[in-house]
Amino acid sequence: MKSLFRNLFVAAVSAAVSLAALWSCTTNEKYDFSFTLPGHIVTELESTVVIPITARNITSVSVTSTPKGWTVEDVDLQNWTVTVKAPSAYTADDPTVEENGTLKLSGFTPAGTSVTASSYLSLLNLEMDLSDKYSNCYVISQKDTRYTIDVTHKGESSETFTPDKVEVLWQSDRELVNYTSYYADKGTFTFFISHTDITDDKDNVIDSVTPDGNAVVAAYDSAGNIIWSWHIWITGSDVESTAITTSAGVFMDRNLGAYHNSDGSTDTDDIFKSYGLYYQWGRKDPFIRPVDYNFSNNEDRTVYTGSGTVKRFSYVDAEKGSDVGTLEYTVKNPMSYVLGSADNDYDWLYTSHDDNLWSSEQKSIYDPCPRGWRIPDGNAFVGMDIDQSEDLSELGDIRGMYGWHLVDTATGTKIFMPGAGRRSFENGKLTNVNNYGYENTPMPWVGYYWTAGIATSDRSKAQSMFFDLNTTRAVNNRYEPQKEMYRANAMQIRCVREESPTPQYRPRQ
């Protein structure tokens, strides 16, 4: 079970803190002390690796810390190497072992100055190469695994570029996407996804699972401009095996960016995990979820850079600059929510409408769904309706679900759709309440789901699936499978499987 990829390999990862060419404030002494490679990965128990060090004006070295189970067997100051032995067991067999951690050394100069060098160590038996399945979105469902993705293609097209650098733009939790490396010669980006421990009532670890989260990785040119970006969607179960077949196509069982499907649960944690990310019509890059399931204070969930500092999404209009409201601007600024322009019917494009950004006919370069999936077409929800038993239920029985089961009227198949609301085209604010501005009580939750359909009555808009819960009379519950909405709104997406996806694999090098 633990015997995959038994050939020893060493790979550079960007976890290390390297200190080079430093000056002491008191003695003006110059010294270097760092690991030549920032990290080492081994794939065999008890493997021995010899790690080179870069050192200048360092006279002695001591081991500050090692991950549990790892052993430093030798520090060779003549050849400047450290020999490290991997653990004799995996964490599953010995809970005291740390499969991934940091080796830290302290180096000392003749003047007594101390400096630290760090190298990431990983005992790894799992890796997954997705570089031949390039897409705007990668689904990650396996824990404790190093992933490799392509970072040279725009979407699933043949259009390529060569980044100057690639790094994590934002992530939903600190240390979600770890130990990243960009390999320019291969056009690939690697990262490590760890696990989340499950504990019992006494805080004893009894199991581990894939962490839930989302991240965006960005490629930059030499001037520091973003060329393209990719969504890393980390969800603990396989979206292929849990898909739901309807007469309109095979749908994912969860929203794009969600961690699972609450399926009518009234548990607030389940509800929150079923919310996906939000997308403006035609854009490939996501916007973050609310801070909690009931949209407290209209607050965004906090996101972090690759180094763990807090990062914010911005909400911009024409006052931000002359290029705002263009496709080029949104590609360069994936964290900027472009507010709708009244001069262009509240589209985030300020001078035109582009009906081809998303398409029902062929998956577009800006489609945010993973490979093999696409935005549903405009007719996808026409053959569905709210489950009648829920539609006629007492409000107290169903209000806590924050969503509806939709029923395929042709087959009877049910699919639960969370009422995750939308972001407003006017200000980007999150709302899951419909307040129509008259005496009716505001709706406690609403659902908006984009399709690739173009509005028929007002071509400046696009089609969405919409529902709400009426708090006054159940017969007033609403379901509209082709509601026309301004394109600057950001909504949830439920991807549908491509009927005949055409692979565009890059030849392996």
Side-chain angles (χ1 to χ4, degrees):
M1 182 168 120
K2 293 285 188 180
S3 63
L4 298 177
F5 305 101
R6 290 303 192 188
N7 294 324
L8 175 66
F9 68 96
V10 177
V13 292
S14 59
V17 179
S18 64
L19 298 171
L22 300 178
W23 289 84
S24 166
C25 296
T26 56
T27 65
N28 286 333
E29 59 179 341
K30 193 172 184 180
Y31 51 83
D32 295 331
F33 188 56
S34 64
F35 284 96
T36 305
L37 294 174
H40 288 261
I41 300 172
V42 301
T43 55
E44 187 171 317
L45 295 173
E46 298 185 312
S47 297
T48 299
V49 291
V50 179
I51 307 174
I53 306 172
T54 298
R56 176 175 49 162
N57 202 27
I58 300 295
T59 57
S60 64
V61 174
S62 64
V63 179
T64 303
S65 64
T66 59
K68 294 179 181 178
W70 297 76
T71 305
V72 176
E73 297 195 324
D74 181 52
V75 180
D76 185 345
L77 299 188
Q78 181 175 353
N79 297 305
W80 288 110
T81 61
V82 178
T83 303
V84 180
K85 187 176 182 179
S88 59
Y90 291 93
T91 305
D93 302 316
D94 183 354
T96 65
V97 169
E98 293 179 334
E99 293 177 1
N100 310 286
T102 303
L103 166 66
K104 293 183 179 181
L105 304 180
S106 291
F108 298 89
T109 70
T113 301
S114 174
V115 61
T116 300
S118 301
S119 179
Y120 172 68
L121 299 175
S122 178
L123 173 61
L124 186 67
N125 75 318
L126 294 174
E127 67 172 1
M128 188 168 292
D129 189 346
L130 304 177
S131 60
D132 62 347
K133 300 176 178 62
Y134 44 87
S135 181
N136 286 326
C137 175
Y138 294 92
V139 185
I140 305 299
S141 59
Q142 186 169 278
K143 65 180 180 179
D144 298 328
T145 300
R146 174 162 292 277
Y147 287 86
T148 300
I149 63 172
D150 172 90
V151 286
T152 64
H153 284 78
K154 292 186 175 182
E156 297 173 23
S157 75
S158 59
E159 186 175 349
T160 62
F161 53 88
T162 301
D164 184 68
K165 68 174 181 177
V166 181
E167 60 185 29
V168 175
L169 179 65
W170 66 262
Q171 55 185 339
S172 55
D173 291 284
R174 290 189 175 97
E175 300 182 355
L176 176 69
V177 179
N178 294 299
Y179 314 119
T180 61
S181 290
Y182 167 50
Y183 297 94
D185 57 333
K186 299 178 181 178
T188 59
F189 183 76
T190 66
F191 55 91
F192 182 76
I193 299 299
S194 183
H195 63 266
T196 297
D197 288 331
I198 297 176
T199 58
D200 60 19
D201 294 339
K202 297 181 180 179
D203 289 331
N204 297 314
V205 177
I206 58 175
D207 199 359
S208 64
V209 296
T210 304
D212 292 327
N214 289 279
V216 167
V217 170
Y220 297 80
D221 62 21
S222 58
N225 299 310
I226 293 178
I227 308 170
W228 204 257
S229 47
W230 301 270
H231 173 203
I232 308 299
W233 176 19
I234 307 167
T235 179
S237 58
D238 178 24
V239 297
E240 295 285 344
S241 62
T242 57
I244 301 171
T245 301
T246 74
S247 59
V250 180
F251 286 85
M252 285 189 179
D253 73 329
R254 71 204 68 180
N255 294 354
L256 182 55
Y259 308 144
H260 76 166
N261 190 316
S262 58
D263 199 24
S265 169
T266 57
D267 180 87
T268 56
D269 188 52
D270 279 346
I271 292 169
F272 188 45
K273 288 182 177 181
S274 71
Y275 291 175
L277 302 178
Y278 296 81
Y279 295 81
Q280 293 187 288
W281 195 94
R283 293 185 65 177
K284 64 182 178 65
D285 292 297
F287 292 90
I288 196 62
R289 305 188 301 158
V291 69
D292 56 22
Y293 84 100
N294 60 356
F295 295 55
S296 295
N297 300 320
N298 240 305
E299 185 178 349
D300 289 355
R301 183 180 174 90
T302 302
V303 299
Y304 306 89
T305 64
S307 61
T309 59
V310 173
K311 197 170 181 68
R312 304 290 184 188
F313 287 85
S314 60
Y315 301 87
V316 301
D317 55 22
E319 294 183 0
K320 182 70 175 179
S322 59
D323 58 340
V324 174
T326 64
L327 182 59
E328 293 74 20
Y329 177 87
T330 60
V331 171
K332 291 181 179 180
N333 298 274
M335 294 188 71
S336 292
Y337 190 101
V338 182
L339 304 179
S341 167
D343 294 335
N344 196 36
D345 301 308
Y346 298 105
D347 195 338
W348 56 267
L349 287 172
Y350 284 178
T351 60
S352 65
H353 305 297
D354 190 339
D355 295 345
N356 297 312
L357 292 176
W358 291 348
S359 173
S360 301
E361 303 300 323
Q362 183 178 3
K363 189 172 182 179
S364 76
I365 192 174
Y366 299 104
D367 192 305
C369 293
R371 177 173 283 271
W373 302 85
R374 62 173 176 82
I375 298 288
D377 64 44
N379 297 319
F381 297 100
V382 171
M384 300 183 188
D385 205 348
I386 297 172
D387 182 0
Q388 186 176 14
S389 63
E390 294 178 3
D391 195 12
L392 299 178
S393 294
E394 293 292 330
L395 295 178
D397 295 337
I398 60 169
R399 183 179 297 166
M401 298 191 312
Y402 275 70
W404 293 111
H405 282 95
L406 299 185
V407 177
D408 181 351
T409 56
T411 66
T413 300
K414 294 184 180 182
I415 181 170
F416 187 78
M417 310 296 284
R422 65 184 172 97
R423 286 185 178 274
S424 169
F425 65 92
E426 294 178 296
N427 50 30
K429 288 185 177 180
L430 285 156
T431 176
N432 65 341
V433 174
N434 257 1
N435 187 343
Y436 299 108
Y438 47 89
E439 295 180 357
N440 284 4
T441 305
M443 307 302 111
W445 47 252
V446 295
Y448 288 95
Y449 288 76
W450 277 129
T451 73
I454 305 303
T456 55
S457 63
D458 184 347
R459 297 286 294 182
S460 66
K461 297 180 180 179
Q463 292 179 335
S464 68
M465 182 272 284
F466 162 78
F467 58 75
D468 70 12
L469 170 70
N470 191 290
T471 56
T472 55
R473 296 182 62 204
V475 294
N476 289 337
N477 293 328
R478 292 200 300 164
Y479 174 73
E480 297 183 36
Q482 293 178 304
K483 184 175 179 62
E484 299 181 357
M485 296 291 292
Y486 293 124
R487 299 185 189 194
N489 285 293
M491 304 181 187
Q492 301 279 294
I493 289 173
R494 184 65 67 91
C495 300
V496 65
R497 184 173 289 159
E498 287 188 275
E499 294 181 1
S500 300
T502 302
Q504 301 179 39
Y505 297 152
R506 181 185 68 171
R508 296 307 301 266
Q509 299 177 351

